[in-house]
Amino acid sequence: MSAVSNDSRKRSKKRYAGGHHNKRWKGSRELEIGMQGILITCNMNERKCTAEAFNLLNEYADTLYGPEKLQDNNGSSSEEEADEEDVDVALKKEVAQLKASGAKQERRFQALDSGANNVIFIKTKNLESDKLVHHILSDLHTTKKKKSRVILRMLPVTGTCKAFQDDMVKYLTTFLEPWFKTPNCGTYQIAFKARNSSHNKRDEIIKAIAGLVGKLNPKNKVDLTNPELTIIVEVIKAVCCISVVKDYTLYRKYNVQEVMKEDTPKPDVTTAKTDTNTAEQKDKHDTEETNKEEEKKGDDDNDNNGPQDDKEADEEEVDGE
């Protein structure tokens, strides 16, 4: 009996532990349709990447939008105001304050599970993620300050929809209008990537989006070298994350590590041209010397062969004509 009861207790503990683990996992927040934010990629260190992302985003957000203002949920009021209020009003106000203090306050940046390894999603509130990311990359590109070690790419997400081709085209029809609908137009490219999703074919999606952009304004042209705009389409599981960004090529596909690198100095055009001219002059001089030697040798041969070679020369010239 004791062995049976011990096995029963072990099973109960395992069942309790498993249920507790599943409950915690289910309670974690994930990337969902309707959210806006920033996709951040890293290399095998998501926790450190999240910490760096918060530091970097808050630093530049404070510059653009000012320090984050948190609501005071304590809601303390002065004695004079309390004397003037009716009892019922005071009770209602106290209940509202208790509810507010018990509710979790949503911050300006909130890290969520993206649904893919080495990718984190930072949900944003009350700010434009595309402008914030562009501002960060612009400053890092100019200053070359090393402000991150594990963050790779920072991709703004200004729109989300279901990750099916029909839903994406329907959503993009309205989403792309501010950039590509007449009278607006520009050169563009499409950057598409799918993670943990196999039902979308890259070529078909790109072709469908390009056709849509062409319908919005025929003057929109594809440019894969240095486009004015880049349509970013990132599919993770069943969510499609979309944004339209500038300077995608200049800022190395929005790669933070590449942007912070010092630019490789270009060779001096004047020096290179001088070296080329010197080499050409040397080759010309060598060619002239060779021609002189051949002419001298030819004269010696003519002296030895006599009129017979002159006749052969005349015959060759006639054939050439």
Side-chain angles (χ1 to χ4, degrees), residues 75 77-78 80-98:
S77 57
S78 63
E80 294 180 358
E81 292 175 349
D83 292 340
E84 295 176 356
E85 290 177 347
D86 185 64
V87 177
D88 293 337
V89 176
L91 287 173
K92 290 180 180 179
K93 187 174 181 180
E94 185 176 357
V95 171
Q97 291 172 356
L98 290 173

Side-chain angles (χ1 to χ4, degrees), residues 64-174:
L64 287 178
Y65 307 103
E68 184 177 12
K69 296 180 180 179
L70 299 177
Q71 296 178 355
D72 184 9
N73 290 328
N74 294 329
S76 57
S77 57
S78 63
E79 292 182 359
E80 294 180 358
E81 292 175 349
D83 292 340
E84 295 176 356
E85 290 177 347
D86 185 64
V87 177
D88 293 337
V89 176
L91 287 173
K92 290 180 180 179
K93 187 174 181 180
E94 185 176 357
V95 171
Q97 291 172 356
L98 290 173
K99 288 182 179 180
S101 61
K104 185 177 180 180
Q105 187 172 349
E106 191 172 1
R107 303 293 300 271
R108 180 163 60 184
F109 300 111
Q110 184 179 3
L112 305 180
D113 181 15
S114 68
N117 293 330
N118 300 323
V119 182
I120 63 173
F121 179 73
I122 304 295
K123 182 183 177 183
T124 58
K125 180 183 179 183
N126 298 330
L127 57 85
E128 296 171 293
S129 59
D130 53 343
K131 292 184 178 180
L132 176 59
V133 172
H134 188 275
H135 178 69
I136 293 173
L137 293 170
S138 176
D139 184 68
L140 296 179
H141 182 264
T142 303
T143 62
K144 303 298 181 183
K145 290 184 178 179
K146 190 76 174 178
K147 295 188 177 183
S148 170
R149 297 179 64 87
V150 298
I151 293 177
L152 296 181
R153 301 175 70 199
M154 299 182 71
L155 303 175
V157 178
T158 54
T160 50
C161 64
K162 293 182 180 179
F164 296 94
Q165 183 171 331
D166 293 340
D167 296 285
M168 293 163 62
V169 172
K170 182 179 179 180
Y171 181 81
L172 286 168
T173 301
T174 304

Side-chain angles (χ1 to χ4, degrees), residues 23-303:
K23 185 175 181 180
R24 288 180 59 189
W25 180 259
K26 186 177 180 180
S28 62
R29 293 290 305 277
E30 294 184 356
L31 169 62
E32 298 175 355
I33 296 171
M35 292 182 176
Q36 295 185 356
I38 304 169
L39 280 174
I40 301 178
T41 65
C42 60
N43 190 8
M44 303 300 293
N45 199 336
E46 294 184 17
R47 179 171 294 184
K48 188 173 182 180
C49 177
T50 303
E52 282 190 1
F54 277 133
N55 292 334
L56 197 62
L57 293 173
N58 279 305
E59 175 186 347
Y60 286 93
D62 288 348
T63 303
L64 287 178
Y65 307 103
E68 184 177 12
K69 296 180 180 179
L70 299 177
Q71 296 178 355
D72 184 9
N73 290 328
N74 294 329
S76 57
S77 57
S78 63
E79 292 182 359
E80 294 180 358
E81 292 175 349
D83 292 340
E84 295 176 356
E85 290 177 347
D86 185 64
V87 177
D88 293 337
V89 176
L91 287 173
K92 290 180 180 179
K93 187 174 181 180
E94 185 176 357
V95 171
Q97 291 172 356
L98 290 173
K99 288 182 179 180
S101 61
K104 185 177 180 180
Q105 187 172 349
E106 191 172 1
R107 303 293 300 271
R108 180 163 60 184
F109 300 111
Q110 184 179 3
L112 305 180
D113 181 15
S114 68
N117 293 330
N118 300 323
V119 182
I120 63 173
F121 179 73
I122 304 295
K123 182 183 177 183
T124 58
K125 180 183 179 183
N126 298 330
L127 57 85
E128 296 171 293
S129 59
D130 53 343
K131 292 184 178 180
L132 176 59
V133 172
H134 188 275
H135 178 69
I136 293 173
L137 293 170
S138 176
D139 184 68
L140 296 179
H141 182 264
T142 303
T143 62
K144 303 298 181 183
K145 290 184 178 179
K146 190 76 174 178
K147 295 188 177 183
S148 170
R149 297 179 64 87
V150 298
I151 293 177
L152 296 181
R153 301 175 70 199
M154 299 182 71
L155 303 175
V157 178
T158 54
T160 50
C161 64
K162 293 182 180 179
F164 296 94
Q165 183 171 331
D166 293 340
D167 296 285
M168 293 163 62
V169 172
K170 182 179 179 180
Y171 181 81
L172 286 168
T173 301
T174 304
F175 181 85
L176 295 176
E177 287 183 354
W179 298 275
F180 299 106
K181 187 177 181 179
T182 307
N184 300 319
C185 66
T187 58
Y188 72 97
Q189 67 176 350
I190 301 170
F192 175 86
K193 186 174 182 61
R195 297 179 174 87
N196 299 337
S197 175
S198 58
H199 59 274
N200 286 311
K201 294 183 179 180
R202 179 179 181 275
D203 293 341
E204 293 181 0
I205 297 296
I206 292 178
K207 185 178 180 180
I209 297 175
L212 175 61
V213 175
K215 289 180 180 179
L216 291 175
N217 189 340
K219 293 183 179 179
N220 296 317
K221 301 298 180 182
V222 175
D223 184 353
L224 303 180
T225 304
N226 189 24
E228 298 172 346
L229 300 169
T230 297
I231 305 172
I232 297 178
V233 181
E234 292 275 334
V235 174
I236 302 179
K237 290 185 175 180
V239 180
C240 177
C241 303
I242 305 169
S243 63
V244 178
V245 300
K246 300 181 296 183
D247 300 320
Y248 189 72
T249 304
L250 176 64
Y251 296 151
R252 313 292 179 84
K253 299 181 179 181
Y254 277 36
N255 189 311
V256 174
Q257 300 303 320
E258 293 296 325
V259 165
M260 292 187 296
K261 288 182 179 179
E262 294 290 342
D263 295 332
T264 305
K266 297 181 179 180
D268 189 354
V269 178
T270 305
T271 305
K273 187 176 182 180
T274 303
D275 294 340
T276 303
N277 292 336
T278 303
E280 290 177 353
Q281 291 175 0
K282 185 176 182 301
D283 293 339
K284 184 178 181 181
H285 176 73
D286 294 341
T287 303
E288 291 176 352
E289 293 294 331
T290 303
N291 292 336
K292 288 180 180 178
E293 292 178 359
E294 290 179 352
E295 290 176 358
K296 183 178 181 181
K297 184 179 179 181
D299 293 339
D300 294 340
D301 292 341
N302 289 335
D303 293 340

